[in-house]
Amino acid sequence: MLSRSLFRSRFEWLRMTAPETNERTASGPRTSDLGLRTRIKTLSPPVNPPKIIDHRARAAAFIADPGRSQWHDQALWFVRTKRDKAVAQVPEWERLRTHAAAIKAFVVDNLGELLAQFIAEATAAGATVHIAHDAAEHNAIVQGILNSAGATRVVKSKSMLTEQCGLNHHLADHGVSVVDTDLGERIVQLAQEPPSHIVLPAIHRRKEEVGALFAEHLGTPPGLDDPVALTRAARAHLRAHFLAADAAITGVNFAVADTGSIVICTNEGNMDFGTALPDLHIACMGLEKLVPLASDLGVFTRLLARSATGQAITTYTSHLRGPRAGGALHIVIVDDGRVAHAADVQTNTALACIRCGACMNTCPIFRRAGGHSYGSTIPGPIGIVLAPHRDPSRARHLPDACSVCGSCSDVCPVKIPLHQQILTWRGRLADLGLLPWSKRIGMRVLAGIMARPWLFRPLAWSGRRLARCLPGVLRRRLAGTWGQGHAVPVPPKQSFHAQWRARK
Amino acid sequence: MISAHDDVLRRLRAIPKRGVTHPGFFAEPMPIADLPARFTAAAEAAGAVVIPLHGNNPASALALHGVWNAAQQVVIAGVDVVPPSGAVMVDLATTRDLHDLATVDAVVMRGMFGVAENGAIWLHTDSAAVRAALVVTQHLILVVSASELVPTMHQAYARLDLRATSYGVFISGPSKTADIEQSLVIGAHGPLSLTVLLQ
């Protein structure tokens, strides 16, 4: 476990982001200080999680290592502060958010027309467009394209959609090897776990663990944990895969209906490298990625990277229209519940999400509990509002992973009212009868008591009296889960009601 | 059986419309007084090395450039320079196998324009070889004219015709990653360095 002072010195190191600070990194605390030298443990739940996601138990597993949880919290808060600095450089930030939300509202209202227009334009540009109802159809289409091209070695750049569809496993089962090329995604692929964050897939892993993984799979020297050296090793390892690949699979950030272009943003250049050499490129996207006009990209590219990492723009913002000379471009567009979501007027603004991850970086629960606690490809506040659309029963506990502080809604670049939708889902899941019986009965009893002052007042009085004479430990017990890790203060002598009357 | 294509479109069109209108162009983005200064600061923040040419030609700047002089294999596209002594010039027009470009050390190319707010440079090409060389090279050198700078991405897209572009890219700085403990490392899969010659 990390001592406090050690943690602080390590966190200072985290703040130094320039490459010339490598010496400081090398002279930082050694692996043994962290007790992480042992072979990498699987932190995450299995890839196919159980019928009901138990967020509380999963969060408890992450928090059980307080050093890790605290580091994770501060690392993400650091990203959030970088976002704030970048936003402060743009005086029209709030107008940009409003504009982006208005464009996306237009998109959600006109999805049919925009999709038809995009298909026509992309087809005219020489791409082949496929539509898939669900994950299984999506995987079958991709497999079919690869099979008919005879492609067996695939490099993939970041795509949460293919992650959600379980594409890698499907293709592996059918003789196609898929190598994730985003560094964070490669790390979690080697660790055989899902990403824990949509922009920072391996943020839950410490550099010593990455070093151990690379020593095992890439042959780096044991104990090597310098991020620069590890990144160089990954560069060499993945370069070999790029050169050997016979197909590339990528995600899509924006699909322009007016021109049939797809836009893909990366910092690493892995999309551009992956698609530069092989003749076959398959781009996979959810149908909500559509934007009407090329000029709309001005709004979204200004918002995306600033919200995600605090950069003014990603290193590569690439625009592809049709296949490259001598190649083939297939675009696979997936419904998988999105059409039904678009028809749900109470929550369809969530389809505006541009996957920046800002809501995760700011969320006090995400920062402490880690992305795997949500048991969903898209975790965090946006994950909470998307998951129940797919499977309300499975996601029934997720809306409780929220203190309704509203910070997610404040940072969202497309102004999705995330915390309000989380509340909406709490109500809906209760209406669907998906709350546990203890909560259902408890809430009914509580509602009955609170609606009857003649019953509430004597009960509150005796509760207060009892709590006043209990020692702190028992008071915390009485407070249930709220008492865990919190001090429960001594209740006042007088009730609020009595104090209020005395004032009047 | 109805195809997924027709079925999805039919179901999307069946959703009752709320009559939302498109908000139009984004009006009045922030003015930037000194475009070259802001562009330089933003490009440097993105990890690029910016060399102002002050009326000199790119060749004289490159003659003093360590990365360029150390290169063994170079690609020169649309810029009037000669390879450093001892280096081999790779001709993209005669490149048969794109994989041959994997050994290129440096590419010097002209960018169409730059964006002051974020230091990005726009390039576009229909050539598979140019597209590959841009990202496969170890080092990238882009020449951009100081008179070809726009303030923000709004003016940038106003200049572009995406219909005429099979591959177009805004590049800001060298490739980079922070996927290990949020520690920024310059040089991920694309170039290890980006030099901008501001003409």
Side-chain angles (χ1 to χ4, degrees):
Chain A
M1 201 174 295
L2 291 160
S3 76
R4 241 191 135 69
S5 61
L6 175 60
F7 177 78
R8 210 166 281 140
S9 72
R10 288 184 49 74
F11 186 60
E12 285 307 312
W13 168 79
L14 168 92
R15 289 177 181 282
M16 297 183 290
T17 52
E20 51 269 24
T21 54
N22 296 342
E23 297 81 14
R24 293 287 294 272
T25 318
S27 64
R30 302 309 309 162
T31 317
S32 51
D33 298 337
L34 290 156
L36 290 168
R37 196 159 233 167
T38 45
R39 255 177 69 106
I40 200 137
K41 276 186 302 187
T42 301
L43 291 172
S44 64
V47 178
N48 295 314
K51 274 190 203 143
I52 299 171
I53 304 162
D54 188 347
H55 180 269
R56 199 195 289 169
R58 286 161 172 259
F62 190 74
I63 294 165
D65 180 351
R68 186 189 299 274
S69 171
Q70 199 177 17
W71 183 88
H72 187 267
D73 172 21
Q74 302 209 33
L76 289 177
W77 186 251
F78 172 61
V79 182
R80 158 75 208 263
T81 55
K82 283 202 296 181
R83 173 246 174 228
D84 292 349
K85 281 183 198 146
V87 166
Q89 303 289 309
V90 183
E92 64 266 34
W93 184 258
E94 289 306 316
R95 274 203 302 134
L96 274 176
R97 290 176 72 213
T98 306
H99 205 89
I103 295 170
K104 284 290 190 174
F106 176 82
V107 170
V108 171
D109 203 30
N110 294 280
L111 270 174
E113 291 74 11
L114 292 170
L115 180 61
Q117 189 187 6
F118 176 77
I119 294 171
E121 291 295 336
T123 308
T128 310
V129 181
H130 310 257
I131 307 279
H133 275 123
D134 53 24
E137 267 187 33
H138 163 268
N139 293 348
I141 290 169
V142 174
Q143 187 205 336
I145 299 166
L146 292 170
N147 286 352
S148 51
T152 56
R153 285 163 303 181
V154 175
V155 283
K156 183 152 78 71
S157 75
K158 198 148 75 186
S159 150
M160 287 302 119
L161 176 76
T162 58
E163 200 70 53
Q164 203 161 40
C165 292
L167 178 68
N168 284 15
H169 294 283
H170 175 86
L171 292 180
D173 290 345
H174 292 84
V176 177
S177 94
V178 182
V179 173
D180 277 311
T181 58
D182 173 83
L183 177 57
E185 289 225 297
R186 186 63 181 148
I187 291 167
V188 295
Q189 188 181 32
L190 292 174
Q192 298 183 350
E193 60 186 1
S196 70
H197 187 295
I198 60 174
V199 174
L200 318 161
I203 189 67
H204 60 291
R205 288 287 182 192
R206 307 303 304 269
K207 64 189 162 88
E208 294 78 11
E209 297 173 304
V210 178
L213 269 176
F214 281 15
E216 187 185 338
H217 296 277
L218 271 58
T220 52
L224 181 73
D225 60 13
D226 170 35
V228 176
L230 292 172
T231 302
R232 289 285 174 272
R235 176 182 168 94
H237 158 76
L238 288 166
R239 207 174 167 89
H241 284 287
F242 281 128
L243 292 172
D246 39 30
I249 297 176
T250 72
V252 171
N253 288 91
F254 308 103
V256 185
D258 182 42
T259 65
S261 312
I262 54 174
V263 181
I264 304 169
C265 307
T266 78
N267 277 322
E268 299 185 5
N270 51 321
M271 185 291 286
D272 301 79
F273 204 146
T275 58
L277 302 180
D279 287 335
L280 178 58
H281 173 193
I282 306 171
C284 305
M285 58 177 265
L287 54 85
E288 82 284 12
K289 298 281 176 182
L290 291 162
V291 298
L293 303 168
S295 58
D296 297 329
L297 296 170
V299 175
F300 292 111
T301 53
R302 295 188 78 195
L303 289 165
L304 178 61
R306 287 185 173 98
S307 298
T309 59
Q311 295 169 264
I313 189 170
T314 46
T315 301
Y316 293 88
T317 305
S318 308
H319 306 63
L320 280 62
R321 184 172 186 273
R324 69 153 171 73
L329 171 64
H330 292 262
I331 303 172
V332 186
I333 304 177
V334 182
D335 166 7
D336 204 20
R338 288 166 175 82
V339 178
H341 191 175
D344 180 353
V345 289
Q346 237 185 330
T347 66
N348 63 10
T349 47
L351 285 172
C353 175
I354 56 172
R355 303 288 190 262
C356 70
C359 61
M360 297 165 202
N361 304 338
T362 202
C363 175
I365 304 208
F366 184 97
R367 283 189 275 121
R368 287 165 182 83
H372 286 155
S373 62
Y374 298 82
S376 313
T377 306
I378 312 281
I382 183 66
I384 295 176
V385 306
L386 292 177
H389 279 285
R390 306 170 60 80
D391 188 342
S393 168
R394 194 171 165 270
R396 64 177 74 177
H397 295 312
L398 289 186
D400 292 334
C402 171
S403 63
V404 208
C405 72
S407 183
C408 47
S409 306
D410 288 344
V411 297
C412 177
V414 290
K415 287 187 130 174
I416 302 169
L418 286 159
H419 71 289
Q420 286 167 19
Q421 292 200 8
I422 291 173
L423 285 179
T424 300
W425 274 111
R426 281 188 190 171
R428 284 185 177 185
L429 295 169
D431 291 345
L432 287 168
L434 290 172
L435 294 183
W437 65 268
S438 57
K439 210 176 242 182
R440 253 184 286 169
I441 293 173
M443 300 246 282
R444 189 162 296 175
V445 169
L446 204 60
I449 293 170
M450 292 182 93
R452 293 171 180 81
W454 58 266
L455 189 56
F456 175 77
R457 280 184 200 145
L459 280 172
W461 179 84
S462 42
R464 217 168 41 246
R465 284 296 291 269
L466 176 68
R468 280 179 66 82
C469 41
L470 286 177
V473 183
L474 285 178
R475 263 205 321 274
R476 281 172 54 182
R477 274 288 168 83
L478 206 67
T481 42
W482 285 103
Q484 287 175 16
H486 294 108
V488 178
V490 182
K493 264 188 181 156
Q494 278 191 312
S495 71
F496 175 79
H497 184 252
Q499 292 179 38
W500 182 256
R501 290 238 311 226
R503 251 182 221 216
K504 280 213 290 198
Chain B
M1 202 183 88
I2 185 165
S3 71
H5 173 276
D6 294 345
D7 179 50
V8 166
L9 283 176
R10 183 184 54 77
R11 286 192 297 129
L12 281 174
R13 286 177 171 144
I15 299 172
K17 288 234 185 294
R18 289 172 300 143
V20 180
T21 52
H22 188 281
F25 295 109
F26 186 80
E28 292 176 53
M30 58 187 187
I32 296 177
D34 188 344
L35 291 175
R38 182 69 178 263
F39 171 83
T40 302
E44 286 174 350
V49 175
V50 182
I51 303 176
L53 290 182
H54 298 304
N56 295 323
N57 55 32
S60 57
L62 285 184
L64 303 169
H65 193 42
V67 163
W68 179 251
N69 288 320
Q72 300 291 307
Q73 278 190 34
V74 298
V75 168
I76 299 170
V79 183
D80 186 20
V81 292
V82 291
S85 63
V88 177
M89 189 161 86
V90 179
D91 182 6
L92 295 181
T94 58
T95 302
R96 293 242 170 267
D97 184 354
L98 297 173
H99 295 78
D100 295 344
L101 299 171
T103 48
V104 167
D105 297 303
V107 170
V108 57
M109 269 187 73
R110 186 164 278 282
M112 203 172 131
F113 64 89
V115 185
E117 70 162 326
N118 55 29
I121 295 170
W122 172 262
L123 300 139
H124 63 100
T125 178
D126 290 331
S127 151
V130 173
R131 178 172 162 182
L134 267 176
V135 71
V136 168
T137 180
Q138 301 290 336
H139 302 278
L140 181 60
I141 300 161
L142 296 175
V143 185
V144 68
S145 174
S147 61
E148 298 286 343
L149 297 176
V150 297
T152 73
M153 293 303 285
H154 306 293
Q155 292 93 342
Y157 280 105
R159 278 189 65 152
L160 293 178
D161 178 10
L162 290 189
R163 284 177 159 280
T165 310
S166 73
Y167 177 80
V169 59
F170 287 104
I171 297 180
S172 94
S175 71
K176 55 186 86 73
T177 183
D179 274 351
I180 300 175
E181 287 204 356
Q182 270 304 287
S183 166
L184 180 73
V185 180
I186 300 284
H189 303 305
L192 295 164
S193 77
L194 172 70
T195 306
V196 179
L197 305 181
L198 195 57
Q199 199 165 27

